[in-house]
Structure formats: structure tokens, C-alpha cells
Amino acid sequence: MTTLTALRFCATATLALAISGLSATAQQFQNHLMPQPAKISIGSGGLALDSTFAVEVPGVSDARLTDAIDRAVRRIEMDTGLRHAGRGEVGKTKLVVKVDRPSAPVQSLEEDESYALVVTPAGAEIDAATEVGAMHGLETLIQLVQPNGASYFIPAVTINDTPRFRWRGLMVDCARHFEPVAVIKRTINGMAAVKLNVFHWHLTEDQGFRIQSHVYPALTGKSSDGLFYTQQDAKEIVAYARARGIRVVPEFEMPGHSTAWLFAYPSLASGSNPDGVRREFGISDYAIDPTREATYTFIDRFLTEMATVFPDSYVHIGGDEAPAPDWKTNPRILAFKKAHNLKDNDALQAWFNTRILKIVARLHKHMMGWDEVLTPGLPKDVVVQSWRGEASLSKGAKLGYKGVLSAPYYLDAMKPASVHYLADPLPSTSDLTPDQRALILGGEVCMWGEHIFPGTIDSRIWPRTAAIAERFWSPENVRDVDDMYHRLIPISVELESLGLTHIQSEDAALRELTGTENIDALRTFASVVEPVSFSERSETQRTSQLTALDRLIDAVRPDPPARHWFEAAVKRLLADPKGDSADRALLAAWFTTLSDAVPAARQQILASPCLAEASTRADQLLMLTAMGQQSLQYLAKDEKAAPGWKAKQNHALDEIRKPSALVRFAVLPTFSDLVQAVPE
């Protein structure tokens, strides 16, 4: 292994493994599809791409479908080097896209998203009930393109595909930290590529009100720091999403998480008034007053205005984490509770929710809220989004409520894709009846905004969300974690081609932290560490909205590619410690690469005030690589370690597990597995 290859090995090993067989046999199908289709059969040969497409649209067609086809064709042309049609260039590769009926002006939960895709050496055909299904088929067609020696082809396949769940969402919190329109658009591009269909836009929070209201201009005039979406911005996002088969569901938090509301309009408060938007994160005591009729007049006028901006039939009112101490002490609110036989705050919030539901219903929409809205007497039309877990979701279904699961898909926990991937909104082991199971609409990934900004949001969402998207789309039995990671690498690269920055952002941040382009050693060090969770960071750093996000934790990616590659290689090695010389050599070379990088990386770390705290982690990496090399030597010889060796290594591992520099070694559990396998 050359030095250059070694330096790049940990970042590219999984990619190399994923694509290593592409040119082995002419037109040999390589399955890199994500999400996996419901049904796929492989034919022989494939469709050669020696010309751009001659597109036929024999069924329903409009500008939306035409634009979607044009985008897909251009992406394939860019990937394969084909000349675009026009100016004398005539497309010869046959592509038929047939849609049975036009989609409704506003996409709904009932949209038929199924499609069939047939590829033969003569051409490709997509048949779908609606434009949205056709768009999903086009995304699959793009993912099927692969090299064949000096050219490209699409393997012969027959695919019949339909999503497992109707609600496949991504929630992005743009209230705690504002995200520009360009970030939202590239996020929607990624969502479309992996067949997500709901963009849940968290627009209001204690830290800011991010959507313009002409009726109540102080909401952004006082409570946004000038960072908000105009109504024209929002309409542009809605149109952009619809063009890609994605619904936009806005969230306006109430009655809790409402400091921004109350700072702008103190008359809404329950007693205590905030003196500004809240810079600290966590749960606020401020809450909207549910006992004043003027409150409902205000919210009615606001939601009526927002209905002209957001046409989707669902509106999310939050409803979570509202301790509202004023509701327990304000004499006027106490008198109201007594007069209406409301025994506690939960009952008062249920009263509030019922009133808001009437407003939402008048606007011909459905209300959605977090777990806390699920209280006795809640009308069955409300959709409950579960952040508390599968038990809460199941409870709601047993009571007759539609639900969406989010608890296992909180990206701020910085868990690996494999953990999210194996969590299921509706496992076969569920005790729900068929009618109750039908109430589980699907799942939604959540990207909270405490510790993200435009430079890091992509790496926190992608590519892990692609794996979760497969859980929402594909059959339940698609659960092979190794295969998922095999496919995640090429999909991750594809996502960057759509404008996302989740791979390149790490290098950009490391260059900024060190002030140099020479970051090879630091990149190698960074490839084995990942951020701690948002909650652990908050406990350690005491962050607020004003905290600079400019440390190593903000540069490195969660679940780096080296983590699973290392885990898989060690798993293979431990199945045959003496005989698996290939993996042993690969691991030994990788350990050398890591240890060789530490001196230069440590020098750069110590020279940067924002990196200096990570010097201990650099020293610990040397300890880990030495531990790994020794373990390989013992295992190769089937030799027992010296008495006390394993105890010493376990003590070192315990020390390395302790919090430091707000990053953790993503590879630490596998180093522990390697040590425990050594006989003593």
C-alpha cells in the first residue's frame, strides 16, 4: 500500500469495496439502489448509453412532469458524459414515461406513488398512476446507471415499486438557527433522490419566528433578528418541493416554545412576559394564554393568512413541552380552569388544542401535534407525531389516532445509520390489530437546530437520512446492515452531485480551523472521530443560540465511513483469526496509516485555539493503534497475551470512553471487540 493510498484509505475504503466489481463483467448488474424497490427482477444485458434520450410521453403530461424528465435526463447526461439533445444532437436512447392521470393541484396523503420500470436493450419505460410515481421511477432510473468499461449502461431490470408508508418525512428546525433558502432547496433535492415525500418545516421557536406575517408584522419585525422567510420565499419553497413530489407541512409551535410569539405580542402571554427572544436552549416557562378569547382571534387570523402560503392539508401546531407555571399561579387562569372544570394544565392544554382544531378545520385542514397533544377527549382527526417512542405511537393507534413515528430518528443523537435503519415504525411484532396498524402513517426524521448552521446541516442530515428513507419505503424484511452500508456510499456521492455538501464540508471546516490546505494528516485523524450528541454538548459546553459553532465537533461527521468498514473487517477477521491474512494485512496497514498521521495532526491541533482541546484525542489514537497492532499479532499466532495485558488495555479503553473535546472515537467499540478476542 503506497503512502498516498494509505492516507486516503480510511475515508475511501467502503467506497472502493462498493464499486470494486463494476467493470468485472460486461453489463453485470450492481445493486446500488436506495431505497430498495418493493419488487425487482434482473434481466440479461442492458441498455447502452451511447446517446442521450429520445423521450416519449404518451399519457398525461404537463410542465411539472416535463421539467422532472428534463432534470433526470440532464443528470444522467452529466454522469455519463452524453451530449445534450439540441443544436444538431439527436437523442436515440428510447425513454418512455407514461402517466395515467394528472395529479391534484395540492399533493395529498392519498397520492398514488407507485410505478413500474422496465429496462431492456431496446429502451426504458416508466409507467405510473401519477406524476409523483413517475418522478420516483426517474430517480430509480438514475441510480441504475453504471459504468461498463469505457462506457455506461442501464442494466435490464423489471421493477414494480410502491412505498410501504404514505408519510415519509424530514423535519428541519429553522427556528433555533435560520437556514437560507438555498439550504432548504438542496435538502429537498436530497429528499427527492431517496423518495421522501414530506418536508416538515419547523418555523417558530423560543429563539426566533421565521415566517413573515403581513397581518402581524412584529412577529418577524421583533422576533427574528432579521432572519426570516418572506411569504414569497415560502411559496417558492412550496413550489420547488411540489415539483419534486414533496409536500410542505409547516409547524407553528403553540402554546409552549412560544417566546418569540410573546415578545412580539405580549398580550398573548399568560402572565410573565419575555424581554426578548430566548437565546438559551431547552424548555421555556413562557406559554400562550389559552383563556383569552383574543388569543383565538389572533391565532385564527394568523393561520388563515398562513393557509394562503402553505396549501398542504396538514398544519403542525407543536404542542410539546409546555410546563406553563403561569397557568398554575395566575388568578384569572385559575378561575377559568375552575369555571370549566379543568383540573390541571393538561386539561387546559386539551381545551386549547380543541379550540385550535376548530380553526384548523374551518380552514379545511388537519391538525398535527407532538405526543403531548394526545389527551383524553382529543378529536380523532388529529395526527400525533411521536417523539417519546414506539409505545406512545402504539398507544395512540389503540385509541384510534393516526400517528407518525419520530423517536428513533432524531439525528441530533448522533447515532450511526445502522441504529436508525433497524428501527421500524410498524414492526411485524407489533400487537396492533389490522385496523390499528392502518393508522400508522409512517415515520419522520428530525433534524433539530440547536447546533447546526448552513456549513454543517448537510453532514448532520446526510447520508444517514438516506438509510432511514429506505426503512420508510422498502419492505420490512430489507434489513441487511452490511448491504445498506455498501449502497450508502454511492448514494452519498450522488447526493453531493445534487448540491449537498455533507462530504466536502468536513475538509472545508478543517482547512478553516488550521488555515492551510495541507490537512491530509488531520483528515486521517478526523476520519475516526465523530461529534457527541446535542444533549451531551449542551451539558458540557452550555451552548446558546450565540455560541460559535467552530470547533472540531462542528467539522467531523457522525458515523464516518471508517466506522462500519472497520467493524466489518474485524468481524471477518475474528471469524478466522489465523487464516484471514487479507483482512489482517488491511487492518495492520490502516493502523499504521492512523499512527503515522498523529504527529502532524497533533502539531496542527495544538497550533489552533479552536482545536487545541483535541490534543488528548490525538494521543489516544496512538494508544488505540498500538493496541490494535498488538491484538493482530496475538491473533495471528493464536498466542495468549501476557498476564495483565487485557486488563491494561481495558483500562485504557475506559479512559478513552470518557468525554473529551466534544468528540468521541466512532471506532472505539470495534477496538474493544478486537482486544476481547485476544486469549489470555
Side-chain angles (χ1 to χ4, degrees), residues 569-585 587 631-639 674 677-679:
V570 168
K571 184 178 179 180
R572 292 192 302 269
L573 176 71
L574 295 185
D576 185 12
K578 289 186 66 177
D580 188 357
S581 58
D583 280 309
R584 185 167 59 250
L587 289 166
S631 298
L632 292 180
Q633 292 169 9
Y634 284 126
L635 291 169
K637 300 176 182 178
D638 194 19
E639 180 181 311
L674 202 54
V678 174

Side-chain angles (χ1 to χ4, degrees), residues 145-166:
V145 175
Q146 56 191 65
N148 176 31
S151 61
Y152 292 86
F153 80 108
I154 303 175
V157 295
T158 298
I159 291 174
N160 288 282
D161 205 6
T162 191
R164 183 175 170 217
F165 293 107
R166 294 179 287 165

Side-chain angles (χ1 to χ4, degrees), residues 55-242:
V55 180
E56 300 175 19
V57 188
V60 170
S61 179
D62 60 12
R64 183 191 191 198
L65 181 60
T66 299
D67 289 347
I69 295 171
D70 287 347
R71 287 195 304 272
V73 169
R74 292 307 298 268
R75 283 168 60 187
I76 293 175
E77 289 171 347
M78 290 292 291
D79 288 345
T80 60
L82 295 175
R83 296 182 64 182
H84 188 55
R87 297 185 180 181
E89 185 73 17
V90 178
K92 299 176 183 177
T93 305
K94 185 177 180 180
L95 172 61
V96 177
V97 181
K98 184 180 178 182
V99 172
D100 293 340
R101 61 179 183 272
S103 295
V106 178
Q107 191 168 316
S108 76
L109 190 65
E110 307 306 322
E111 183 91 23
D112 187 339
E113 300 180 77
S114 63
Y115 69 93
L117 169 62
V118 177
V119 180
T120 70
E125 180 170 342
I126 296 170
D127 291 277
T130 67
E131 296 159 348
V132 175
M135 285 188 267
H136 293 325
L138 289 166
E139 293 293 346
T140 300
L141 185 71
I142 292 167
Q143 291 184 10
L144 283 168
V145 175
Q146 56 191 65
N148 176 31
S151 61
Y152 292 86
F153 80 108
I154 303 175
V157 295
T158 298
I159 291 174
N160 288 282
D161 205 6
T162 191
R164 183 175 170 217
F165 293 107
R166 294 179 287 165
W167 193 293
R168 306 180 308 281
L170 168 62
M171 187 284 297
V172 177
D173 171 12
C174 297
R176 289 179 173 88
H177 279 109
F178 179 77
E179 301 294 341
V181 169
V183 172
I184 304 302
K185 285 185 174 180
R186 72 192 190 212
T187 300
I188 288 170
N189 290 342
M191 292 177 65
V194 294
K195 301 181 175 62
L196 293 175
N197 69 348
V198 178
F199 176 58
H200 172 175
W201 203 356
H202 188 88
L203 287 163
T204 73
E205 191 49 73
D206 290 322
Q207 288 73 28
F209 207 97
R210 305 300 181 194
I211 181 66
Q212 180 187 44
S213 169
H214 297 306
V215 177
Y216 298 111
L219 289 170
T220 51
K222 293 183 65 175
S223 296
S224 72
D225 295 318
L227 299 171
F228 64 92
Y229 306 99
T230 67
Q231 291 192 13
Q232 185 56 43
D233 290 336
K235 290 176 180 179
E236 183 180 327
I237 291 296
V238 169
Y240 192 89
R242 183 179 185 277

Side-chain angles (χ1 to χ4, degrees), residues 217-279:
L219 289 170
T220 51
K222 293 183 65 175
S223 296
S224 72
D225 295 318
L227 299 171
F228 64 92
Y229 306 99
T230 67
Q231 291 192 13
Q232 185 56 43
D233 290 336
K235 290 176 180 179
E236 183 180 327
I237 291 296
V238 169
Y240 192 89
R242 183 179 185 277
R244 289 152 181 80
I246 294 170
R247 298 165 43 216
V248 178
V249 174
E251 180 179 357
F252 313 111
E253 274 274 12
M254 59 180 86
H257 289 276
S258 55
T259 303
W261 293 84
L262 305 180
F263 177 56
Y265 291 93
S267 62
L268 294 172
S270 297
S272 304
N273 293 333
D275 57 5
V277 296
R278 192 167 189 254
R279 303 303 179 184

